[in-house]
Amino acid sequence: MHLDYKCNLGTAPVHGGHGKIYLVADNRILVISYGNIGTSEPEAEVFFGPGPGHVAEAEIIGLSVSTLGSTIYINVKNRGLFAYQSRGHLLWSVEPVLYQFGYRQGCRKNLTNCYFASVPLLDHCEGSIYISNTEGELYCLSVRSRYFRWIQDFSSLDKNFTITLGNNGHLYVTVPAKALVLALDVFSGNVLWQRSIGPLSKVDSAPVVDSNGWISIGSLDGFLYSFSPTGVLKKFSRMNAENSIIQVGPFLDCSGFAIYSSQIEMEGKISHTIGEYTVVSAIQPKAALFTMLVPATGSIYWSESYPGHVSTLFSKSDLSQFVMNEEILLAFLAASSQKLASSCSQERTKLVSVYTGNERAIVLFLLFESALLLILIGLVRFCCTFWAKEKLKDQGLGSFLDNRVSSK
């Protein structure tokens, strides 16, 4: 689609359900109705932006869409968090500072230039929104109201951190500057455990959480760090970690249980520590190794190198028209894993068919065995009855009955 606005490349489009996609462009939010493509209905409309009924022109930091409640949550710089219905009606809005019962909540240490700084993260299971501000505070709000459930201050660690939603009642905070991962309880905001990892490549580095509840993140020290819900650590490295780095990803597989990770082999790498920070310097990448693994079990299901078999696959596809990098490669590998899942499903169907055939044979054998048992029981009962009659004959009961009949 060709739009009349310049897209914001830093914010990915968000799927809104019911055939809609929400897109940030020129400090506006466009709603794309892809079901209208090729019809007389408009394909793209301005959902939020400068104009009557909306805030004045300002920078949109991020948006999230609740497909369950048909609600769009928009974070506008220096304005606050806005909740809109899918039809454009404003439900509520809140700023990072809220006065309740005479006490100030949010931006406790600095009121100047304090605003929400992250994309609102939705927790459908708990009905909560998580968002951070520029002063290192993390908020938990209800999706239905403008009041805060709890606020945690992480400014003692750093003002910049990323938020990752768990699927086990946990919320994860990653502090790239200190190379720390913290697990929080979603109900209270209390820290359950804190673990150190290797140095990260970006200030917005974020891990992924799989369906087993394991959280995984790659490091410049060449290892993939995976933590269980209770904080147990597993480290993975397919290459020599001394000469390799992991600077992007990982990406979650469509199954939810496996992840895709890339490890880059370098011609040279040097690490040195300055105070609390570790700096990694590396030169001239030689090759990349893409791996699909399950952190909970440590099982590796697929591994290919680049240049190699992976590069030939992409050179033959439509992706050859794009400028490729690690993130794009991992994203498309994760997306194309549906084909792998389909083939696995076919193999699983074959196994089920074999098992079903064996199961039928077992059932027939059990029915045959049961029939034999019934026949044996009948024979035993007949034999017992026969021998009982023979004993009665030996005792003269027959003549006694004959005499009794004749006396009548």
Side-chain angles (χ1 to χ4, degrees):
M1 291 182 60
H2 295 278
L3 303 175
D4 296 328
Y5 301 93
K6 183 178 180 181
C7 295
N8 184 347
L9 300 180
T11 305
V14 179
H15 182 248
H18 306 293
K20 294 182 179 180
I21 294 175
Y22 293 85
L23 176 70
V24 178
D26 282 343
N27 288 325
R28 292 169 173 80
I29 294 179
L30 307 180
V31 55
I32 312 297
S33 300
Y34 52 85
N36 293 341
I37 297 178
T39 67
S40 58
E41 298 294 328
E43 301 170 348
E45 296 179 301
V46 176
F47 175 82
F48 177 90
H54 297 287
V55 298
E57 185 169 354
E59 180 182 350
I60 298 174
I61 296 178
L63 80 153
S64 297
V65 180
S66 172
T67 55
L68 298 178
S70 299
T71 308
I72 295 87
Y73 301 93
I74 307 168
N75 179 18
V76 182
K77 183 177 180 180
N78 290 321
R79 298 301 177 94
L81 180 65
F82 297 82
Y84 281 88
Q85 285 184 337
S86 57
R87 297 181 179 179
H89 174 68
L90 177 64
L91 297 175
W92 52 263
S93 65
V94 64
E95 297 180 2
V97 180
L98 183 68
Y99 291 91
Q100 192 172 10
F101 305 114
Y103 295 94
R104 189 178 77 201
Q105 295 181 325
C107 302
R108 295 187 182 97
K109 297 181 180 179
N110 183 13
L111 280 174
T112 306
N113 295 325
C114 179
Y115 56 88
F116 291 130
S118 67
V119 176
L121 182 63
L122 302 183
D123 186 346
H124 294 292
C125 294
E126 306 301 332
S128 299
I129 305 171
Y130 307 105
I131 193 168
S132 63
N133 66 13
T134 53
E135 297 302 314
E137 292 176 324
L138 176 61
Y139 300 71
C140 176
L141 301 86
S142 170
V143 295
R144 301 177 184 87
S145 65
R146 59 188 299 272
Y147 294 106
F148 306 147
R149 291 181 172 175
W150 50 259
I151 302 177
Q152 267 283 16
D153 187 1
F154 295 103
S155 59
S156 60
L157 298 175
D158 196 61
K159 293 183 178 181
N160 297 315
F161 53 82
T162 59
I163 316 164
T164 306
L165 185 64
N167 54 12
N168 45 17
H170 291 179
L171 181 70
Y172 297 99
V173 172
T174 306
V175 186
K178 298 293 182 68
L180 293 173
V181 174
L182 299 89
L184 277 62
D185 178 70
V186 295
F187 301 104
S188 63
N190 295 331
V191 177
L192 300 175
W193 51 262
Q194 174 180 320
R195 300 290 185 268
S196 296
I197 55 178
L200 302 178
S201 61
K202 299 184 294 183
V203 294
D204 59 348
S205 295
V208 295
V209 179
D210 60 37
S211 297
N212 288 316
W214 284 68
I215 178 172
S216 303
I217 188 169
S219 170
L220 291 176
D221 63 6
F223 287 97
L224 178 73
Y225 289 76
S226 295
F227 295 96
S228 72
T230 57
V232 177
L233 170 65
K234 288 183 180 179
K235 295 171 67 175
F236 302 96
S237 179
R238 295 281 290 166
M239 292 180 173
N240 181 8
E242 294 182 357
N243 294 322
S244 63
I245 62 174
I246 299 178
Q247 59 181 356
V248 299
F251 278 72
L252 191 63
D253 175 66
C254 65
S255 69
F257 294 95
I259 61 172
Y260 282 88
S261 177
S262 66
Q263 190 176 6
I264 307 299
E265 182 184 7
M266 313 298 292
E267 287 190 357
K269 187 180 77 171
I270 299 175
S271 301
H272 54 279
T273 303
I274 304 175
E276 298 181 349
Y277 304 94
T278 300
V279 180
V280 177
S281 301
I283 58 171
Q284 198 60 35
K286 295 171 59 179
L289 185 66
F290 297 93
T291 304
M292 177 188 180
L293 60 91
V294 178
T297 62
S299 302
I300 296 175
Y301 287 92
W302 178 85
S303 188
E304 290 290 347
S305 60
Y306 181 95
H309 181 63
V310 175
S311 56
T312 58
L313 289 178
F314 285 108
S315 63
K316 297 176 182 178
S317 69
D318 294 335
L319 298 180
S320 59
Q321 302 176 20
F322 296 86
V323 177
M324 303 300 291
N325 58 31
E326 285 179 80
E327 285 186 306
I328 295 177
L329 283 172
L330 282 176
F332 278 106
L333 283 173
S336 63
S337 66
Q338 293 180 5
K339 297 180 180 179
L340 177 62
S342 176
S343 62
C344 291
S345 177
Q346 293 174 1
E347 292 298 324
R348 189 161 52 246
T349 303
K350 293 179 183 178
L351 292 175
V352 169
S353 300
V354 173
Y355 172 77
T356 303
N358 292 336
E359 185 181 24
R360 290 173 181 172
I362 293 171
V363 170
L364 291 174
F365 173 76
L366 291 175
L367 289 174
F368 176 72
E369 188 179 43
S370 300
L372 285 178
L373 287 174
L374 290 174
I375 294 172
L376 288 174
I377 291 171
L379 289 173
V380 170
R381 185 176 181 181
F382 173 79
C383 291
C384 291
T385 304
F386 176 78
W387 287 113
K389 289 181 178 181
E390 290 296 322
K391 286 184 178 181
L392 291 174
K393 288 180 180 180
D394 294 339
Q395 294 176 4
L397 184 59
S399 59
F400 169 77
L401 293 174
D402 291 338
N403 294 331
R404 187 173 180 182
V405 171
S406 62
S407 64
K408 289 181 179 179

